Amino acid sequence: MRNLEVDGEALGDKPDLSSSTDDPSHARISAWLLDRIGVGKIHTDDKLPPEEELAASIGVSRMTLRQALGSLEAQGWIERKRGRSGGNFIREPKVAVDLSGLPGFTEQMRRANVRAGARIIRAGLVEASADITEALELGSRKDVFEVVRVRSARRQPLALEETYLPAHLFPGLLDRRLTGSLYGLMRQHYDLAPHHAQEWLEPEICSADHAELLGIEAGAAVMLVTRKASTVSGVPVEFAHDRYRSDRTRISLKTGLDPHMATGLSIEPAD
């Protein structure tokens, strides 16, 4: 953690509030601080100077500065702490993961205005377990493609994806580029993109193996999303376990009464 100084390099040139613009002063101050974060001058856990000093250096009232800091706090960029060791600390906001409408991870990150990344842990042909066989309705066909990837955003791991696809429906899948959108591959090359799915969300204590891949401590909480997806004609094409870091993601679902738009949410008792 660094205690930033009002005249230090991290804060650089202060915003010019004298120029004519439609943006109010507090919005320009917020934009200035975000720019300093974006170019790497201000880092996560840095502590901003005292509000009186920072406001005076910019040439605004403390109330105007607090409006700017309040806006950044609402977005998750700043955490305000009270007490002797308190102050305004820079934080990295959680990435919004919107599961509405069956998006893949790439689409989720596009919605959040964040570039998605992927690191392949393993990809191969495996024999389906009993739960995978049941979910994908494989019958006597036991081979599935297993694709395990760590998905990232802002250059940090956010989720661990374990995806299983029926091998007989996706010949040659392993020869294709697997670091992008799997749903895009399924749609473009096989015309078998998921159209609807049932998903189960439950908290999970992260195992040591999963924690190492996600860059967190073993025993940390993750959100496990289990998904069974089918095509528009009802053919099961995906069974997946996605584990999201709870410290860096915030999962949302859009629900409603319109049957064409709503995402059904049911609560089932745990075993």
Side-chain angles (χ1 to χ4, degrees):
M1 184 191 77
R2 298 183 301 170
N3 291 318
L4 302 183
E5 303 290 338
V6 291
D7 296 323
E9 180 184 357
L11 291 176
D13 296 332
K14 304 304 184 289
D16 180 8
L17 304 180
S18 63
S19 60
S20 177
T21 176
D22 292 335
D23 295 329
S25 294
H26 67 84
R28 283 185 275 179
I29 295 171
S30 297
W32 163 66
L33 285 171
L34 284 177
D35 179 71
R36 303 305 292 176
I37 296 171
V39 298
K41 296 298 184 180
I42 300 179
H43 305 143
T44 301
D45 294 331
D46 282 350
K47 182 180 180 181
L48 293 176
E51 291 180 1
E52 300 90 337
E53 297 180 17
L54 186 55
S57 71
I58 299 173
V60 296
S61 68
R62 189 174 178 184
M63 180 178 296
T64 298
L65 177 65
R66 282 189 165 181
Q67 281 185 284
L69 297 180
S71 173
L72 294 178
E73 182 182 24
Q75 299 174 53
W77 287 105
I78 282 181
E79 179 185 5
R80 292 180 175 182
K81 293 184 178 180
R82 297 180 180 273
R84 181 176 299 178
S85 59
N88 295 299
F89 296 84
I90 301 299
R91 297 292 185 249
E92 185 172 352
K94 293 185 177 183
V95 176
V97 177
D98 184 1
L99 297 182
S100 305
L102 191 57
F105 185 88
T106 303
E107 172 61 18
Q108 292 167 6
M109 294 303 100
R110 188 195 67 77
R111 293 178 180 180
N113 296 313
V114 177
R115 184 175 181 179
R119 178 166 66 94
I120 299 175
I121 305 304
R122 62 180 181 272
L125 187 68
V126 300
E127 183 176 341
S129 62
D131 59 335
I132 296 173
T133 298
E134 179 181 1
L136 294 178
E137 301 176 16
L138 295 175
S140 60
R141 294 187 172 106
K142 295 295 184 180
D143 289 339
V144 293
F145 288 127
E146 177 192 53
V147 181
V148 179
R149 306 182 296 176
V150 173
R151 305 309 305 271
S152 60
R154 297 177 184 152
R155 299 181 179 180
Q156 296 187 0
L158 289 191
L160 175 63
E161 296 181 340
E162 298 178 13
T163 305
Y164 300 92
L165 310 176
H168 67 283
L169 295 180
F170 300 98
L173 178 75
L174 298 181
D175 297 326
R176 303 190 184 278
R177 180 175 173 269
L178 301 178
T179 55
S181 170
L182 289 184
Y183 283 8
L185 289 180
M186 296 163 73
R187 179 182 302 106
Q188 180 179 356
H189 297 286
Y190 303 97
D191 196 24
L192 288 171
H195 182 266
H196 55 269
Q198 185 170 7
E199 296 184 295
W200 298 265
L201 281 68
E202 54 189 319
E204 181 181 78
I205 300 301
C206 197
S207 69
D209 290 342
H210 292 162
E212 183 177 0
L213 293 171
L214 286 171
I216 57 179
E217 294 185 2
V222 295
M223 179 59 71
L224 170 63
V225 179
T226 301
R227 178 175 57 261
K228 173 185 174 180
S230 303
T231 65
V232 66
S233 60
V235 178
V237 289
E238 180 200 29
F239 183 67
H241 298 297
D242 299 340
R243 292 173 171 86
Y244 291 90
R245 287 180 55 164
S246 60
D247 62 331
R248 296 212 175 271
T249 59
R250 183 182 184 188
I251 295 177
S252 66
L253 287 168
K254 292 184 178 68
T255 61
L257 298 179
D258 186 339
H260 299 292
M261 297 178 63
T263 298
L265 179 63
S266 62
I267 300 176
E268 301 176 1
D271 293 337

